[in-house]
Amino acid sequence: MNNTILVIDDEFIIKESVFDALEDEKYHFIYAENGEIGFQKYIEYNPVVVLLDLRMPILDGFGFLDKIKVMPYDLSSIVVLTGHGSDNEIEKCFSLGVSSFLKKPFNIFELRGLVRNLVDLNNTKRQVQTSCVVQSIISSILQLAISETQSNKRLKDILEFIIDLPIIEGVMQKGAIYIIDDTNGKMVLRESSGISSDLLTFCENISSDTCFCGEQIMNKVEHDRNKDILVPSHYCIPMKTNDTMIGLMVLFLEDNYVKKSEDYQIISEIASIVAIIVRNKA
């Protein structure tokens, strides 16, 4: 669930007031003192709610709204907090996609209830949107699995389709699928794409509870760059059928990419489908 709140205001006391009002809700707060910095953090953190002042130096609230261009299907809501709002400014705010308008000094209970409702609404929209996207992806993968392509090439086609998906941000066009060899318990490289021969040699055989980078598979799914063996950051996703692990999907990530829980949710569902396909010898 996304619980990031971006506060864009040049008054420190407002930041403190917002935190005091919402600290019991366990949100993740990001602050910016003007619209320009706020825009950069909006892009970087993808907040579920933005609390925005209108009058600030460098770039004011209207400039920020012009830059982000709020759309009806966006998964963020903008709440304007200002002590200077005229009727014309309020009308302009709503025309630019603002969800709500609160005048300073705001009532903390009103702010708390409003933010809570917007967070719940946007996360519900996010879940529905993600579910629809995942169903479309799964349908495409299943089509590849039953295609007339030679069976030894289908898994390669599926892997290349996955690493090219624009919905999974930050994934390089590099990935691998491992299958557990029942005879020795080792993880054997079944398919790969975009990986150098040196790295392929290093990754050929690994134990069934360890990623090739040395991390334990079940400890976490996001493994950081390993400079000793020139491995970039990557997602390491167990492939399971009926709660039994049969293999591993590895997707390599761009440097400095901020991993997102939504991405992992999508990849996990994809990995489950690939596991079924592998079990049925795609």
Side-chain angles (χ1 to χ4, degrees), residues 62-74:
F62 291 116
F64 171 82
L65 292 170
D66 281 334
K67 292 191 77 166
I68 66 170
K69 301 188 186 311
V70 178
M71 302 300 289
Y73 50 78
D74 284 349

Side-chain angles (χ1 to χ4, degrees), residues 124-140:
T124 299
K125 286 165 59 179
R126 189 183 303 272
Q127 290 171 1
V128 171
Q129 190 178 90
T130 299
S131 177
C132 292
V133 169
V134 169
Q135 290 305 313
S136 176
I137 292 170
I138 288 173
S139 176
S140 297

